[in-house]
Amino acid sequence: QINTGFVYKSTMFLSYIKNLKPWHLSHKNPEVFVISQWCKPKSIFFLLYRYLLAIIFIGILTYSITNSIVVNHDFGYWFIYLTNNGILICTLTTTYAAILVTFYHFDWIRLETESKSYKIYWLLSNVSIVLAFVISIVYWSVLFKWDLYFKGE
């Protein structure tokens, strides 16, 4: 026997998703994702900035993983913390952005308007920004021990 309520809800959900065309990740000028707002369109400074940011996040991620292995003697616990997942997503985002800017700067590949590369970066960027914001709010409002901090212990 088929649950008609479930089938109806599933079809409604799928039709809802199909009607979200304006919400798909598309942009009239996707090059804004790989150029600086304050420099020339192809700026070596922006490229170096992207590399520096990626290197910093890769270093933080490497330190976090290494520290988890040394302290806990087990890498499996690393994934259960939201902060570590946030670092992982931010590292993926900044590294991917550096790769996209490199491809754009040296004209290795012409990325089209509907390119999946831009959509992946847009999605990663949105997820990492929201995740970093949520992690900060939760940590400083719920987890941080303010009373221990102000007592000097």
Side-chain angles (χ1 to χ4, degrees):
Q1 180 167 331
I2 298 174
N3 184 349
T4 55
F6 175 75
V7 172
Y8 176 73
K9 288 178 184 175
S10 299
T11 6
M12 290 295 292
F13 179 71
L14 289 176
S15 66
Y16 176 73
I17 294 296
K18 287 180 184 175
N19 291 331
L20 286 178
K21 292 277 187 209
W23 297 99
H24 286 193
L25 298 172
S26 62
H27 198 278
K28 293 177 187 173
N29 185 14
E31 288 183 342
V32 298
F33 296 111
V34 290
I35 62 174
S36 169
Q37 296 178 4
W38 59 86
C39 298
K40 296 182 294 186
K42 290 190 177 183
S43 169
I44 191 70
F45 297 113
F46 186 64
L47 182 63
L48 292 174
Y49 162 75
R50 283 294 186 184
Y51 280 150
L52 180 64
L53 202 59
I55 289 169
I56 288 170
F57 271 97
I58 289 170
I60 292 170
L61 179 69
T62 305
Y63 173 76
S64 176
I65 291 172
T66 306
N67 191 40
S68 175
I69 292 171
V70 169
V71 172
N72 297 329
H73 305 292
D74 187 10
F75 179 62
Y77 288 110
W78 189 84
F79 290 101
I80 65 173
Y81 296 104
L82 189 60
T83 51
N84 293 337
N85 289 307
I87 291 170
L88 179 64
I89 297 291
C90 286
T91 304
L92 289 174
T93 304
T94 55
T95 306
Y96 194 68
I99 292 168
L100 282 180
V101 171
T102 304
F103 276 63
Y104 175 77
H105 186 78
F106 294 111
D107 292 322
W108 289 341
I109 293 180
R110 173 141 170 75
L111 299 171
E112 300 299 324
T113 304
E114 291 297 318
S115 173
K116 288 187 180 181
S117 301
Y118 289 121
K119 292 179 181 186
I120 291 169
Y121 174 64
W122 198 352
L123 180 70
L124 278 173
S125 180
N126 285 336
V127 168
S128 64
I129 289 169
V130 171
L131 187 60
F133 185 71
V134 167
I135 289 170
S136 297
I137 295 297
V138 168
Y139 178 78
W140 291 108
S141 64
V142 177
L143 300 175
F144 187 73
K145 308 239 184 304
W146 290 97
D147 54 341
L148 295 178
Y149 179 75
F150 286 116
K151 286 182 181 176
E153 295 179 18

